[in-house]
Amino acid sequence: MLSKGLKRKREEEEKEALEVDAWWLDPGLPAVTQAPPTLASSSLFDLSVLKLHHSLRQSEPDLRHLVLVVNTLRRIQASMAPAVTLPPVPSPPIVPNVADNLLASSDATLSASMASLLEDLSHIEGLSQAPQPLADEGPPGRPVGGTSPNLGALDLLGPATGCLLDDGLEGLFEDIDTSMYDSELWVPASEGLKPAPEDGPGKEGAPELDEAELDYLMDMLVGTQALERPPGPGR
Amino acid sequence: MKCFSRYLPYIFRPPNTILSSSCYTEADIISTVEFNHTGELLATGDKGGRVVIFQREQESKNQVHRRGEYNVYSTFQSHEPEFDYLKSLEIEEKINKIRWLPQQNAAYFLLSTNDKTVKLWKVSERDKRPEGYNLKDEEGRLRDPATITTLRVPVLRPMDLMVEATPRRVFANAHTYHINSISVNSDYETYMSADDLRINLWNFEITNQSFNIVDIKPANMEELTEVITAAEFHPHHCNTFVYSSSKGTIRLCDMRASALCDRHTKFFEEPEDPSNRSFFSEIISSISDVKFSHSGRYIMTRDYLTVKVWDLNMENRPIETYQVHDYLRSKLCSLYENDCIFDKFECVWNGSDSVIMTGSYNNFFRMFDRNTKRDVTLEASRENSKPRAILKPRKVCVGGKRRKDEISVDSLDFSKKILHTAWHPSENIIAVAATNNLYIFQDKVN
């Protein structure tokens, strides 16, 4: 933060960065005698990558901030020499695969990495969007009604699919945090099915879940189980 | 520009605030300020989801010097923090915008919105109470029917004035992204709400349905390069509205052209100045606020360093550009690092569209007189805000010798930012929100 009366070390770098900008835009200018242009650009690049990470780490990123940072990153990337390798980014303590993607990728794949980041963002936002608002006094924040679009919102980290049932039902339920539903019917198939009565308290324990939806999901799960192996005890 | 040197400060703090301005909770930070159409009421919203409405005192002959002070009229909790269970996301209760409806009866109506939900509030006064019920006693308990032997008509008796706020409509579940703007249409039947990628049109009477009129979400999110930053209806033409973008463009749309206004009627953009180009060009060109003039002939936009006035009939460049704090142009890298470069400042017109005002850092705010081309920098702070003291113009020293009353750029406090201001619709009274404090300044009486 800029505070009263403190001289910042970065001021010299700021001046360099701005002069460097002019340099890469207009090759006709005399050669710059300061530090190589890639140094200032790369520190800005690092900063922007950190900002991007930080932005994506938010549970609901500020889209404007994200878009502006990404666009700035693209500008900086475009200004850097084509053959330059990305400088090492201090490892941020988050999603390691995202950081790895950015570290390992060359210019050509950077756009693809950022694209996949934005795609993930669209899954967080887009799949759970109700096309028109339905009942208006439902539980706060929760889209009321509908079936697959709401289920799709649970697939936050999965790949993009147009139709959620394409991957099969096993893939659909892999990422669900079942503790939320507190019902033993949701345990993995290998542990077998438990008798129905235990399902009762679990159902009432999650009043936000639509009864019809829960029935539908249970039917699908039970139907799949039945197809794969003989029914267990109690069923 | 006589009025600027003669402003009297009145300081109002939101209720429950500790006296020292350095001790406040984040919930007290004011996030929006808005006068109603007559200027009688002033509403503020804060990060804690509360709305505080101030009312101007009636002028009285006995107390001429207390002409039109604003006092707290009503306080209510508009939005609560929510949790979206499916997405495991917290929905902030911060009030992003308040817009008043024109008054049509004794009650006042306003729209308030957080990131996801718009609410219509009715603020009404009650100064009479019915007494003498037949079936209930004075405490409201039901009477034993056997004890009722006579019949009487309840009468209205005076009571202490009570101002109550009730939510009349809740417009929810229509926005996937964060709502940044709401705007009441001049037909007083509809309004719009805008988020980062979409704009929806609502009818005040219908809460379970809205029309999507702008959608800039690309089919592939990887193609997303631009978001909507602000939107407003034309003050007189109910079919016309504008919206601004993060790329510094303004689009004017006509709802008569098509149901989905993805194709603009007019496109306002100023070509980039090549001598000022930098990595941060796009960020500083991002428009943070757009406002129609009261006349409807002009629009004003605020980007990071300037305020621009556009004539609706000229799309290729603004007719006026005002530098708010150009001394920050050399500091953009630091401001990018500390995220200040993303701050969203608002801008306002005065009642006659002759003066425009916007905020800056160090609790400074700026006014520009469009006719005389003069400008002034003022400060909203406790030190120089004793009642009826006159505000002294401030000046930022950009280099060279610093004069006695000037402040140098390096001494500016970037945590003290004035993002939200409001101007009375007809008088020279302004409201300035400085973090958790609301300052109301008015022109000196003679």
Side-chain angles (χ1 to χ4, degrees):
Chain A
M1 275 297 270
L2 292 178
S3 52
K4 294 192 179 189
L6 287 182
K7 206 82 168 125
R8 289 183 47 82
K9 285 184 208 170
R10 278 188 95 73
E11 278 185 32
E12 292 181 4
E13 270 192 61
E14 287 170 31
K15 288 182 204 159
E16 278 180 24
L18 288 176
E19 288 176 71
V20 161
D21 298 342
W23 179 86
W24 70 262
L25 280 175
D26 187 357
L29 286 176
V32 171
T33 53
Q34 286 99 337
T38 49
L39 186 61
S41 299
S42 71
S43 62
L44 260 180
F45 186 91
D46 294 346
L47 177 61
S48 301
V49 167
L50 279 174
K51 282 190 179 301
L52 184 61
H53 278 291
H54 178 74
S55 193
L56 288 170
R57 224 184 309 168
Q58 310 294 319
S59 50
E60 207 171 8
D62 178 352
L63 206 58
R64 171 183 167 261
H65 186 273
L66 187 66
V67 162
L68 289 174
V69 168
V70 166
N71 289 349
T72 305
L73 255 175
R74 286 183 177 138
R75 278 194 182 216
I76 299 168
Q77 180 204 350
S79 76
M80 289 160 84
V84 75
T85 53
L86 296 184
V89 177
S91 59
I94 48 125
V95 189
N97 56 341
V98 169
D100 288 345
N101 281 344
L102 288 171
L103 283 171
S105 58
S106 64
D107 291 337
T109 56
L110 184 60
S111 311
S113 306
M114 280 195 258
S116 72
L117 292 172
L118 288 172
E119 274 290 301
D120 287 345
L121 181 65
S122 81
H123 291 154
I124 294 166
E125 301 279 17
L127 287 175
S128 67
Q129 178 222 352
Q132 285 296 339
L134 302 169
D136 55 337
E137 298 300 338
R142 181 182 174 275
V144 176
T147 50
S148 357
N150 294 337
L151 292 177
L154 299 171
D155 187 16
L156 293 178
L157 301 173
T161 51
C163 174
L164 291 159
L165 299 178
D166 275 349
D167 287 344
L169 292 164
E170 293 82 6
L172 184 63
F173 293 116
E174 260 171 25
D175 292 326
I176 295 176
D177 176 13
T178 61
S179 62
M180 191 172 139
Y181 303 110
D182 197 28
S183 164
E184 296 198 44
L185 270 178
W186 293 99
V187 299
S190 54
E191 292 186 30
L193 295 173
K194 296 288 158 62
E198 293 185 49
D199 168 40
K203 253 192 177 178
E204 268 115 47
E208 297 87 10
L209 208 62
D210 187 41
E211 294 265 323
E213 271 183 89
L214 188 58
D215 285 341
Y216 171 76
L217 291 172
M218 282 163 52
D219 287 343
M220 301 308 298
L221 183 62
V222 169
T224 320
Q225 305 293 345
L227 284 173
E228 286 179 355
R229 47 183 212 72
R235 283 267 157 188
Chain B
M1 215 151 65
K2 296 175 257 186
C3 59
F4 299 151
S5 60
R6 294 190 278 158
Y7 272 93
L8 304 175
Y10 295 91
I11 304 175
F12 293 86
R13 295 181 212 95
N16 309 320
T17 314
I18 304 170
L19 282 175
S20 162
S21 67
S22 60
C23 298
Y24 60 86
T25 65
E26 189 153 323
D28 292 330
I29 296 175
I30 299 171
S31 50
T32 185
V33 187
E34 187 81 356
F35 280 100
N36 76 337
H37 292 257
T38 59
E40 181 202 353
L41 299 180
L42 174 67
T44 62
D46 65 22
K47 278 192 95 172
R50 283 170 308 197
V51 171
V52 179
I53 302 177
F54 299 87
Q55 184 187 43
R56 195 175 185 192
E57 264 182 25
Q58 295 299 320
E59 295 181 26
S60 77
K61 293 193 180 114
N62 298 334
Q63 296 179 312
V64 176
H65 64 279
R66 284 172 66 84
R67 180 185 80 112
E69 273 191 15
Y70 281 84
N71 299 311
V72 177
Y73 178 65
S74 172
T75 303
F76 57 93
Q77 188 74 32
S78 170
H79 287 71
E80 299 273 6
E82 292 175 19
F83 193 76
D84 182 333
Y85 297 98
L86 273 179
K87 292 191 267 187
S88 290
L89 294 173
E90 271 189 13
I91 301 171
E92 246 194 333
E93 67 274 29
K94 174 170 76 94
I95 308 295
N96 292 336
K97 282 286 175 347
I98 289 173
R99 289 289 182 263
W100 290 94
L101 270 67
Q103 194 174 4
Q104 289 172 318
N105 53 35
Y108 304 102
F109 287 88
L110 61 82
L111 287 175
S112 69
T113 185
N114 67 351
D115 283 340
K116 298 287 185 177
T117 303
V118 184
K119 293 187 183 180
L120 176 68
W121 287 89
K122 175 182 177 184
V123 182
S124 52
E125 295 179 6
R126 189 195 291 270
D127 61 357
K128 291 186 185 52
R129 181 179 57 205
E131 286 179 14
Y133 284 104
N134 291 291
L135 299 178
K136 289 189 287 188
D137 64 18
E138 292 309 313
E139 276 84 44
R141 289 182 298 235
L142 286 175
R143 282 180 169 171
D144 177 7
T147 63
I148 300 171
T149 53
T150 60
L151 200 62
R152 58 182 172 169
V153 177
V155 292
L156 292 173
R157 298 215 184 280
M159 59 178 261
D160 289 340
L161 179 67
M162 192 169 72
V163 180
E164 35 183 36
T166 46
R168 301 299 300 206
R169 304 274 188 275
V170 178
F171 305 92
N173 298 331
H175 285 280
T176 306
Y177 305 99
H178 291 176
I179 297 174
N180 52 56
S181 310
I182 46 175
S183 179
V184 179
N185 205 349
S186 53
D187 63 9
Y188 305 148
E189 289 184 2
T190 56
Y191 76 93
M192 68 162 149
S193 55
D195 67 28
D196 293 317
L197 298 180
R198 298 190 178 97
I199 301 179
N200 293 331
L201 180 71
W202 301 84
N203 182 300
F204 281 111
E205 301 300 322
I206 301 169
T207 59
N208 61 355
Q209 201 176 346
S210 71
F211 291 99
N212 177 240
I213 53 175
V214 173
D215 188 341
I216 65 167
K217 185 182 177 193
N220 280 326
M221 280 297 268
E222 66 190 63
E223 293 164 9
L224 178 68
T225 56
E226 193 174 12
V227 298
I228 297 170
T229 52
E232 194 181 52
F233 269 117
H234 191 282
H236 311 308
H237 304 310
C238 57
N239 54 287
T240 304
F241 65 93
V242 292
Y243 68 92
S244 59
S245 83
S246 56
K247 285 198 166 178
T249 65
I250 308 105
R251 289 169 176 81
L252 184 139
C253 299
D254 186 336
M255 293 196 292
R256 297 170 301 187
S258 70
L260 189 61
C261 299
D262 274 358
R263 295 173 66 175
H264 50 263
T265 304
K266 295 198 183 199
F267 182 77
F268 300 85
E269 186 181 31
E270 183 175 27
E272 194 181 357
D273 178 5
S275 64
N276 271 335
R277 201 187 298 178
S278 75
F279 289 133
F280 310 111
S281 293
E282 182 176 321
I283 300 181
I284 64 170
S285 75
S286 172
I287 293 173
S288 51
D289 195 15
V290 64
K291 292 267 171 49
F292 272 102
S293 65
H294 292 91
S295 63
R297 282 191 57 192
Y298 306 103
I299 45 178
M300 168 169 55
T301 58
R302 175 71 154 98
D303 52 59
Y304 190 62
L305 297 178
T306 70
V307 181
K308 294 179 174 150
V309 176
W310 305 74
D311 188 316
L312 283 188
N313 298 316
M314 187 161 75
E315 299 168 53
N316 58 351
R317 60 180 172 80
I319 57 170
E320 296 156 27
T321 300
Y322 301 95
Q323 303 294 333
V324 181
H325 37 217
D326 200 53
Y327 45 79
L328 297 182
R329 199 177 287 273
S330 58
K331 310 277 180 200
L332 291 180
C333 199
S334 302
L335 295 164
Y336 178 66
E337 189 184 2
N338 63 20
D339 271 351
C340 281
I341 205 175
F342 298 102
D343 286 336
K344 291 185 285 186
F345 293 93
E346 294 173 5
C347 54
V348 290
W349 298 88
N350 75 336
S352 59
D353 298 336
S354 59
V355 182
I356 56 183
M357 175 169 69
T358 188
S360 178
Y361 294 105
N362 209 72
N363 278 350
F364 288 168
F365 58 100
R366 304 260 285 139
M367 290 182 187
F368 303 92
D369 188 317
R370 297 179 60 217
N371 299 324
T372 65
K373 301 301 179 197
R374 287 172 57 189
D375 61 82
V376 69
T377 305
L378 300 169
E379 183 179 357
S381 77
R382 287 164 183 271
E383 287 78 41
N384 59 5
S385 294
K386 298 183 179 45
R388 284 179 288 286
I390 292 169
L391 285 183
K392 210 172 60 170
R394 303 304 307 264
K395 196 153 162 52
V396 177
C397 165
V398 288
K401 261 187 154 177
R402 186 177 74 86
R403 291 204 190 111
K404 194 181 133 197
D405 288 336
E406 290 180 355
I407 181 166
S408 78
V409 182
D410 294 322
S411 303
L412 293 173
D413 188 344
F414 288 85
S415 66
K416 293 183 181 170
K417 47 194 96 176
I418 296 197
L419 305 174
H420 313 288
T421 59
W423 204 309
H424 189 286
S426 52
E427 296 185 35
N428 281 336
I429 302 173
I430 56 173
V432 176
T435 318
N436 64 319
N437 287 309
L438 179 73
Y439 294 82
I440 300 178
F441 301 106
Q442 63 183 28
D443 204 358
K444 185 176 177 184
V445 182
N446 291 324

